[in-house]
Structure formats: C-alpha cells, structure tokens
Amino acid sequence: MSRIREHNRELIIQAASEIFADQGYAATKIIEIANRAGLPKPNVYYYFKSKENLYRSVIESVIDPLLQAAQPFYEDDDPATVLEQYIIAKIKVSQQHPHASKVFASEIMHGAPHLPEDIAEKMMEQTIQSSNKIQSWVDRGLMDRVDPHHLLFTIWAATQTYADFDWQISRVTGKDNLSQQDYDTAAQQLTQLILKGCGVQTSKAAKAG
Amino acid sequence: MSRIREHNRELIIQAASEIFADQGYAATKIIEIANRAGLPKPNVYYYFKSKENLYRSVIESVIDPLLQAAQPFYEDDDPATVLEQYIIAKIKVSQQHPHASKVFASEIMHGAPHLPEDIAEKMMEQTIQSSNKIQSWVDRGLMDRVDPHHLLFTIWAATQTYADFDWQISRVTGKDNLSQQDYDTAAQQLTQLILKGCGVQTSKAAKAG
DNA sequence: CGGCATCTTAACTCCGCGGTCAACAATAAC
DNA sequence: GTTATTGTTGACCGCGGAGTTAAGATGCCG
C-alpha cells in the first residue's frame, strides 16, 4: 500500500463520514465527497469500488471507538464505578466522533441494512455481557431491581443524543457547539441521575477494599 | 373537498409516513408509496404536487400528537406528577406513532432541512416553558439542582428511543414487537429513574392540599 | 535515462426516479 | 338525458447521479 494510496483513502473516508453523517446514505452524492476531499470523482471509485463499499469502509473505520466505550464493564465490578465510567466514555464518543455516531444512528434507525453481521454480533455480545453484569448487581442487592435492558436503552439514548440530535441541542442551548464544560456537565448530571435513580450503593470502600 | 379526495389523501399519507420512516426521505421512491397505498403513481402527484410537498404533509399530519405530549407541563405544577405524566405521554407517542417519531427524528438528525419554521418555533416555545417550570421547581427546592436542558434531553432521548431505534430494541429483547406490558415497564422504570434521580419530592400532599 | 506501476482526469454511458401529459372513466349537477 | 368537474391511467420526458473508460501524468525502480 503506497503512501499516496493510504493518504487519499484517509482523506476520502474522512470526507465521506462527514457527509454521510450529515445527509444520510441515499442523499449523499459521491461528487460531494470528492469535492470535500479535494479530489476528482473517479478517484473515489479508484480507491473504493462503489458507494456501498465506501460506506461500509466508513462504518468499519469507526467501529473501534464505539466498541471501546464498553470497556468499563470488563474492567471493574463496582456498579458506581462502571456506570460512571461507561457514561463518561459514551459521551466522549459523542463528542469526539460525532460523525461516526450519526452514521451509526441513522443506520440503525433504518434497520441496519448495511451493517455487517459480524459487527452486529459483536455489539450484541457486549450487550449481553453488560446486561448480565447489571443483573448480577441487582441480584447482589447493590442497586434497585431495574430491568438491565431498559437501563441500557436509557444510557445509550441519553449519551448518543448529544451527537445524533446536535441540531436540536444547538437550538435549545443557543450555542453552535457545546463546550468541554457542557459535555462535562452532561456526563456528570447523567451519572448522578442514573446512580441515584437506580439506588446504586456508591461504595468506594468496595473498590478500595 | 370530495370524499374520494379526502380518503385517498389519507391512504397516501399513511403509506408515505411508513415508508419515509423506514427508509428516509431521499431513499423513498414515490412509486413505493403508491404501491403501498394501492394507487397508481400519478395519483400521488395528483393529490400532492411533489415529493417534498407530500413529505411536508406527512410531517404536518403528525405534529399534533408530538406537541400534545407536553400538555402535562401546562396542567399541573407538581414535579412528580408532571414528569411522570410527561414521560408516560412521550412513551405513548413512541408506541402509537412510531412512524411519525422516526420521520421527525430523521429530520432533526439531518438538521431539519424540511421542517417548517413555525413548527420549529412552536416546539422551541414549549421547550422554554418546560425548562422554566423545571427551573422554578429547582429554585423552590422541590428537586435537585439539575440543569433543565440536560434533563429534557435525557427524557426526550430515552422516550423516543423506543420508536427510533426499534430495530436495536428488537434485537436486544428478542421480540419483534414490544408488548403493552413492555411499554408500561419502560415508562414506569424511566419515571422512577428520573424522579428518584432528581430527588423529586413526591409529595402527593402538595396536590391534595 | 528507460520501463513499469500507480495515480489522475475529462468525457462518456446508463438507468432509475421525479415529474408530466393527454386521453379516458366516473361522478355530480342540472 | 347533457354537461362540467373530478378522478384515473399508461405512456412518456429529462435530469442527475452511479459507475466506466481510455488516455495521459506522475511517481518509483534500475
């Protein structure tokens, strides 16, 4: 893989992720992507054979941050710690990968017609693990008797909303872009809401001991 | 407006809202809408002059339930009552108007390019009213010092997710469609989460007295 | 330099979909 | 009945965007 190839593929994927996020798959024109990348249209076809292929490359290029966010569930067993870290990680994804988040959201809203099955499975696997862990906390009396699935749905929705519905959020807050402080506030308030709302025993002792 | 006209317009709008929700604006073909409505394509153009016009009609046909959901904020002043009723109403919209919800979500995700400004303003107005009310509860010590905007974002996201991301929810829960019971559980758990999580004084006394 | 691979570009094809039209059928008005 | 209005239909047009091609430019080895 030559330097030029690598470089141009990156340019194109970056441009594509922005435009796919902005307009959705069907409304996106290859020439727009080419223009944003500063390249002629046939180059896009030279490096990626088709629009669909490019789209899949975009999705694949951004899976990692999305999957990484679930790490806290594998690294600890204290509900307060895990849930807090998970929420922070999720909001960070929305903040740092807004395009990726939107492409994914749009994809899932329309029934995930392009999502490779192995990726869908990986995410499903993570979900099962996370649910089981939450259930175990419930069983051990470390938090209220919540339904793990509904809890996850709420966390996903509340964290992703900062990327997916940024237009709405801009309008309501009156800011074109949220500041670091805004994201911190969001994460902190949501953490508080979830922990307190689920009656999580915030036992730092459990971690220290 | 003749009977036939009224009837066919309804058929088309119903079909259109399903397909727009399913595929998004750009990916939707008029002939698909016509087929689902059981009419030839030119009829769609006879009753609605253009695709864009039809799309706007779809949006307008479903504004009411969306706006109605905010009623609880105007009918009461007890935080526990209002928030509970609001969450129930919002989830009911997701349950009863899944297509409408999706069309709106998709529209907003892409920067609301087709949303009539007067509708956007109405929603903005509601948001301001709701925020102010929440702020007044905070000021009166009826709940924790939460940021009203972030609280609303969370409620919106968590309630809409049951319509917008139904594919994901189906996969995780293993059910093609959620039952009435599932929606009730979701509403009840989310209410509990929000009320407890925001330290809302659940004073039925305030209402009775 | 020469010779090979990689990259770039303008000009092109193809086709699907938004939108139209003109003739026809059905209904309503009298 | 006659006429006017409304509704239906198949065949059509034009555009714009996905994808192609073939020639030329550029880099990359000796």
Side-chain angles (χ1 to χ4, degrees):
Chain A
M1 177 105 65
S2 81
R3 294 284 154 60
I4 296 176
R5 187 173 186 80
E6 208 163 339
H7 177 66
N8 281 351
R9 279 182 64 99
E10 259 173 44
L11 278 181
I12 293 168
I13 284 190
Q14 178 57 29
S17 70
E18 289 172 21
I19 299 191
F20 279 136
D22 215 52
Q23 325 211 5
Y25 178 81
T28 294
K29 301 162 208 169
I30 296 292
I31 199 166
E32 286 183 271
I33 295 174
N35 287 341
R36 177 159 312 193
L39 293 166
K41 182 176 77 156
N43 276 36
V44 176
Y45 285 96
Y46 176 68
Y47 290 113
F48 303 86
K49 291 177 192 170
S50 66
K51 183 181 182 181
E52 175 130 7
N53 199 42
L54 171 56
Y55 183 72
R56 263 204 291 270
S57 298
V58 166
I59 288 187
E60 275 163 20
S61 80
V62 297
I63 286 164
D64 254 36
L66 295 176
L67 290 174
Q68 280 301 319
Q71 272 307 111
F73 275 97
Y74 299 91
E75 290 174 349
D76 203 313
D77 192 42
D78 172 54
T81 308
V82 172
L83 290 175
E84 177 175 15
Q85 292 308 311
Y86 186 51
I87 288 165
I88 289 173
K90 275 277 183 188
I91 287 204
K92 201 169 275 177
V93 170
S94 281
Q95 181 182 6
Q96 293 178 342
H97 305 273
H99 308 310
S101 297
K102 267 193 180 183
V103 173
F104 252 84
S106 197
E107 177 69 12
I108 286 170
M109 258 190 58
H110 299 126
H114 306 280
L115 196 68
E117 186 54 31
D118 61 315
I119 294 175
E121 260 170 35
K122 263 187 212 163
M123 298 190 139
M124 194 59 202
E125 189 55 40
Q126 280 197 344
T127 302
I128 292 170
Q129 299 285 337
S130 311
S131 307
N132 289 346
K133 185 146 253 184
I134 293 170
Q135 187 61 52
S136 88
W137 294 333
V138 170
D139 293 342
R140 283 181 277 160
L142 300 177
M143 61 189 296
D144 294 349
R145 306 200 69 78
V146 301
D147 177 312
H149 288 164
H150 287 302
L151 176 57
L152 285 175
F153 296 156
T154 295
I155 294 176
W156 293 343
T159 52
Q160 285 173 211
T161 202
Y162 290 96
D164 300 347
F165 300 114
D166 58 345
W167 179 85
Q168 193 174 37
I169 284 168
S170 286
R171 248 189 109 112
V172 170
T173 61
K175 303 177 183 186
D176 275 8
N177 294 295
L178 295 189
S179 65
Q180 180 62 47
Q181 162 117 35
D182 292 321
Y183 284 104
D184 291 344
T185 303
Q188 190 235 306
Q189 176 163 325
L190 185 58
T191 301
Q192 161 85 356
L193 186 81
I194 299 285
L195 294 189
K196 189 170 175 181
C198 292
V200 170
Q201 308 301 324
T202 168
S203 58
K204 291 287 174 188
K207 214 180 147 194
Chain B
M1 176 101 69
S2 82
R3 295 284 152 60
I4 295 175
R5 186 170 188 81
E6 208 164 337
H7 177 67
N8 282 352
R9 280 183 63 99
E10 259 172 46
L11 278 181
I12 293 168
I13 284 190
Q14 178 57 28
S17 70
E18 289 172 20
I19 298 190
F20 279 136
D22 216 52
Q23 325 212 3
Y25 179 79
T28 295
K29 303 163 206 166
I30 296 293
I31 200 165
E32 286 184 89
I33 294 174
N35 287 342
R36 177 159 311 194
L39 293 166
K41 183 176 76 155
N43 276 35
V44 175
Y45 285 96
Y46 176 68
Y47 290 113
F48 303 86
K49 290 177 192 173
S50 66
K51 184 182 183 180
E52 174 130 7
N53 199 43
L54 170 56
Y55 183 73
R56 263 205 290 272
S57 298
V58 166
I59 288 187
E60 275 163 19
S61 81
V62 297
I63 287 164
D64 254 36
L66 296 175
L67 290 175
Q68 280 302 317
Q71 271 308 112
F73 275 96
Y74 300 91
E75 289 173 348
D76 204 314
D77 192 41
D78 173 54
T81 308
V82 172
L83 291 175
E84 177 175 17
Q85 290 310 310
Y86 186 51
I87 288 166
I88 289 173
K90 275 278 184 187
I91 288 206
K92 200 169 275 177
V93 170
S94 281
Q95 181 182 7
Q96 294 178 341
H97 304 274
H99 308 308
S101 297
K102 269 193 180 183
V103 173
F104 252 84
S106 196
E107 176 69 13
I108 286 171
M109 259 190 57
H110 299 126
H114 305 280
L115 195 68
E117 186 55 31
D118 61 316
I119 294 175
E121 261 171 35
K122 262 187 212 165
M123 298 189 139
M124 194 58 202
E125 188 55 40
Q126 279 196 345
T127 302
I128 292 170
Q129 298 286 335
S130 310
S131 308
N132 288 346
K133 184 145 253 180
I134 293 170
Q135 187 61 53
S136 88
W137 293 333
V138 169
D139 294 340
R140 282 181 277 161
L142 300 177
M143 61 190 295
D144 294 348
R145 306 199 68 78
V146 301
D147 179 312
H149 289 163
H150 287 302
L151 176 56
L152 285 175
F153 296 156
T154 296
I155 295 177
W156 293 344
T159 52
Q160 284 173 210
T161 203
Y162 289 96
D164 299 346
F165 300 114
D166 57 345
W167 178 86
Q168 193 175 36
I169 284 168
S170 287
R171 249 187 108 111
V172 170
T173 61
K175 303 178 182 184
D176 275 9
N177 292 297
L178 295 189
S179 65
Q180 179 62 47
Q181 163 117 35
D182 292 322
Y183 285 105
D184 290 345
T185 302
Q188 191 235 305
Q189 176 164 322
L190 185 59
T191 301
Q192 162 85 357
L193 186 80
I194 299 285
L195 294 189
K196 190 170 174 180
C198 292
V200 170
Q201 309 300 325
T202 166
S203 59
K204 292 285 177 190
K207 215 179 146 196

